[in-house]
Amino acid sequence: MKFDKSQLLIYVVTDRAWTGKMSLCEQVEAALKGGATMVQMREKGLTNDTVQDYLEEARSLRALTERYKVPLIIDDNIKLALLCGADGVHVGQNDMDAGLARQLLGPDKILGVTAKTVEQALKAQSQGADYLGSGAVFGTSTKKDARPMTMEQLQAICASVKIPVVAIGGICLDNIEKLQGSGVAGAAIVSGIFAAEDIEGTTRALRQKMERII
């Protein structure tokens, strides 16, 4: 699937911590019905030894996202991404080097890279990243070691690169409008969607707010 920055508008990131009444696939489908524009499968316990365990679920998500014509990104595992036919991979600063990730993925897959500084942003861009993920903009409950990022830092990152930036970290209905003027192309959201009682309705409301401020 060809990458377009509009696909970053409402970028949902899975988190098994919020499953219970619904399965992961059911939650993702609810978000897609509400207008999610990109899906990242994030499994932090994933190693090369457990790829097989998650492959079936990754393939189910792949089928689901194809049906809704939305890209599927795998967090930090190129092997799993290639096996399930995902559209791309997202790598963090402590994961695989972005240049190597691009080499292994080839030119046609989407590559996202976490960037917390202008220096990291420029390096990721030069290594072939299609977009950057920057945060944590409002703090976060899903990453214990994530440091909050100021709006000034986020604006500086957005202004320093030609590729689009998606904000991440504690984004929800109450604060998403604070991203106005930052220069981001979208919001990556975890618990702000998947911890909601009404995932579909919340996603729809988040998308409407984001469309107004971009």
Side-chain angles (χ1 to χ4, degrees):
M1 185 181 293
K2 192 163 167 46
F3 174 68
D4 182 274
K5 73 174 188 176
S6 65
Q7 293 162 330
L8 297 172
L9 189 69
I10 297 294
Y11 183 152
V12 300
V13 182
T14 68
D15 186 345
R16 206 171 284 278
W18 302 109
T19 57
K21 292 178 191 167
M22 297 167 85
S23 70
L24 201 68
C25 277
E26 285 170 339
Q27 286 192 329
V28 170
E29 181 154 31
L32 288 166
K33 282 179 179 171
T37 54
M38 190 178 272
V39 175
Q40 181 188 125
M41 181 181 174
R42 183 161 80 181
E43 296 292 348
K44 277 302 170 193
L46 191 62
T47 65
N48 282 333
D49 299 332
T50 57
V51 163
Q52 205 55 44
D53 299 340
Y54 291 111
L55 185 54
E56 200 174 313
E57 187 154 67
R59 283 181 171 151
S60 298
L61 283 179
R62 163 74 294 185
L64 189 58
T65 55
E66 275 187 329
R67 209 161 76 234
Y68 286 86
K69 298 182 172 55
V70 163
L72 174 67
I73 304 295
I74 303 293
D75 181 56
D76 183 34
N77 197 297
I78 287 175
K79 183 179 178 184
L80 181 62
L82 295 174
L83 283 170
C84 75
D87 295 289
V89 167
H90 187 95
V91 294
Q93 286 295 319
N94 301 320
D95 301 329
M96 181 182 288
D97 177 76
L100 178 58
R102 172 52 76 203
Q103 209 177 318
L104 294 169
L105 277 174
D108 300 327
K109 296 279 187 188
I110 300 167
L111 175 62
V113 179
T114 299
K116 296 178 183 294
T117 65
V118 166
E119 188 185 21
Q120 290 175 356
L122 290 167
K123 186 181 178 190
Q125 178 176 257
S126 72
Q127 290 179 313
D130 290 299
Y131 74 87
L132 303 175
S134 293
V137 289
F138 304 122
T140 175
S141 58
T142 56
K143 281 196 168 185
K144 302 288 176 277
D145 59 346
R147 290 183 190 162
M149 175 180 281
T150 66
M151 275 299 138
E152 289 73 24
Q153 286 172 304
L154 183 60
Q155 284 169 335
I157 288 170
C158 292
S160 72
V161 289
K162 294 188 173 80
I163 57 176
V165 178
V166 60
I168 190 165
I171 299 168
C172 63
L173 271 174
D174 294 337
N175 60 25
I176 194 166
E177 285 162 313
K178 291 180 183 173
L179 293 173
Q180 186 159 14
S182 63
V184 296
I189 307 169
V190 192
S191 61
I193 284 176
F194 292 120
E197 277 293 308
D198 176 7
I199 291 173
E200 183 181 340
T202 301
T203 307
R204 187 172 293 112
L206 283 160
R207 179 165 175 167
Q208 284 166 353
K209 286 190 173 192
M210 204 63 195
E211 283 173 338
R212 280 201 299 272
I213 69 170
I214 280 194

